[in-house]
Amino acid sequence: MVGSPIDGKQHALNLRGRVKLAVDNLKMHHEITPGLAVVLVGNDPASEIYVRNKGIQTKEAGMESLEFRLPEDTSEEDLLRKVRELNDDKSVNGILVQFPIPKHMSQQRIIETILPSKDVDGLHPVNAGYLASGLSGMVPCTPQGSAILIKETASDLSGLHAVVVGRSNLVGKPIAQLLLQENCTVTICHSRTKNLKEVCLSADILVAAVGIPELIKGDWVSEGAIVIDVGINRIEAPEKGLGKTRLVGDVDYGGVIKNASAVTPVPGGVGPMTIACLLLNTLVATCAQNNIEFSKLGF
Ligand code: NAD
């Protein structure tokens, strides 16, 4: 069996289109324009690209995009002050501090300073608690995007065995919670897991969120499994020329697609869904803050 690629770009385009229609409704019927504030500290080149793309797609969705660029040597207190200012700003419905932040700052302190209702990255412990309790809150964007791709690929997830490789708060744990909500039987693997290959082979749905280039090989995947590759790793690509690099996931795409029924490519799989879900979260946050029923926006 040779599987099909899951076209994350197309799924993300559809989702962003639906968000835009709902934003248009919100503007027309409630005279509210959602506002997303993104704070970038320092000059990390990858973060610069992410922030630029977020700004472009936020505006395309009809939302207000606010960008705040702070120098690398900004003190933690100054960043926290900025976050509190955005917490108090009524025109801001969602706040995202782009990670990584400089090493002299505590990521956890920043996360916990963002109001849970404006935490569109879904990382505040209050939102993590809502997710773990099966209650509605802000769900982290990459796991949410991954779960949407899985649901749009397999119609009924109930009873399927989902194996999640990686247990970070950002990806592994939340995706495991989302799959549990879909009635999957979920196994979470991590760096200390024994017999990782055997566990992966037992998966109907396999999610890789590790950060090790092409860790998951073709013979780790059982016939017909759905494979979601969250990893983004830049590796050297001498075949493209001296000093050139390319992006690969945590999955050996060429090997895995021979056994799996569907696989997300890197790039073009999970990545595009992340920003689309950020926009969706901003819309959901705007509705919650204004006591508007999200479902009434025709989403
Ligand atoms: P992380 O470093 O916080 O967590 C990695 C996890 O992998 C840990 O739980 C660790 O226990 C596990 N792990 C490490 N080595 C392992 C091994 N040999 N076997 C099994 N498990 C192992 O990383 P993260 O933030 O969860 O990100 C994971 C990957 O996803 C990275 O490549 C990151 O760049 C990517 N990512 C992509 C997006 C996106 O938008 N597509 C968003 C966030 C992260």
Side-chain angles (χ1 to χ4, degrees):
M1 160 179 225
V2 176
S4 323
I6 300 173
D7 186 348
K9 277 192 205 158
Q10 189 58 51
H11 283 274
L13 193 67
N14 295 346
L15 181 54
R16 295 204 311 272
R18 293 173 63 207
V19 169
K20 181 169 185 339
L21 285 179
V23 169
D24 290 346
N25 273 339
L26 194 62
K27 286 179 176 172
M28 201 186 321
H29 299 296
H30 301 276
E31 293 178 0
I32 293 170
T33 301
L36 172 63
V38 176
V39 183
L40 174 62
V41 189
N43 308 305
D44 177 60
S47 296
E48 292 266 4
I49 296 170
Y50 289 141
V51 168
R52 191 169 348 115
N53 287 340
K54 281 169 189 168
I56 292 168
Q57 294 186 22
T58 303
K59 286 182 206 145
E60 280 174 1
M63 301 184 185
E64 201 69 55
S65 164
L66 298 111
E67 274 176 33
F68 301 91
R69 287 164 189 271
L70 307 178
E72 179 84 21
D73 61 356
T74 300
S75 69
E76 183 182 284
E77 198 34 60
D78 280 349
L79 176 57
L80 291 174
R81 195 171 300 119
K82 183 81 228 169
V83 169
R84 289 190 199 104
E85 195 183 299
L86 296 170
N87 280 343
D88 293 340
D89 186 337
K90 292 256 181 305
S91 71
V92 171
N93 304 103
I95 303 169
L96 182 145
V97 176
Q98 182 68 44
F99 294 135
I101 48 174
K103 290 200 170 32
H104 62 274
M105 298 175 176
S106 153
Q107 186 165 307
Q108 196 56 30
R109 212 168 293 140
I110 309 300
I111 289 171
E112 290 183 23
T113 302
I114 297 173
L115 271 182
S117 58
K118 295 190 177 186
D119 167 39
V120 282
D121 237 354
L123 294 175
H124 194 289
V126 166
N127 282 317
Y130 282 144
L131 181 60
S133 309
L135 300 169
S136 63
M138 290 287 124
V139 179
C141 304
T142 301
Q144 189 182 165
S146 304
I148 292 172
L149 291 180
I150 296 168
K151 283 195 273 182
E152 289 180 357
T153 304
S155 49
D156 185 12
L157 305 186
S158 185
L160 297 186
H161 184 206
V163 172
V164 178
V165 190
R167 58 171 163 181
S168 69
N169 289 341
L170 180 63
V171 192
K173 283 184 204 152
I175 184 98
Q177 300 287 358
L178 290 168
L179 292 170
L180 199 55
Q181 281 177 17
E182 295 300 321
N183 299 313
C184 289
T185 302
V186 181
T187 302
I188 304 178
C189 301
H190 47 80
S191 54
R192 306 286 178 90
T193 297
K194 292 183 177 142
N195 305 322
L196 184 61
K197 176 180 173 183
E198 280 67 37
V199 183
C200 289
L201 270 168
S202 69
D204 301 305
I205 297 165
L206 179 61
V207 181
V210 185
I212 298 181
E214 300 177 331
L215 172 77
I216 311 285
K217 309 293 178 211
D219 62 353
W220 292 30
V221 173
S222 68
E223 189 81 12
I226 294 171
V227 179
I228 303 294
D229 189 355
V230 180
I232 302 177
N233 309 289
R234 189 164 284 286
I235 61 166
E236 288 177 7
E239 72 279 4
K240 288 169 69 182
L242 196 67
K244 297 282 183 197
T245 59
R246 66 186 173 98
L247 290 181
V248 295
D250 292 341
V251 163
D252 168 17
Y253 183 84
V256 164
I257 202 156
K258 290 183 188 145
N259 282 339
S261 61
V263 189
T264 56
V266 176
V270 172
M273 291 300 285
T274 299
I275 300 185
C277 288
L278 174 68
L279 302 177
L280 177 59
N281 277 354
T282 305
L283 176 64
V284 169
T286 306
C287 290
Q289 288 158 30
N290 291 282
N291 293 319
I292 295 166
E293 240 181 88
F294 177 67
S295 56
K296 295 215 168 125
L297 290 179
F299 190 84

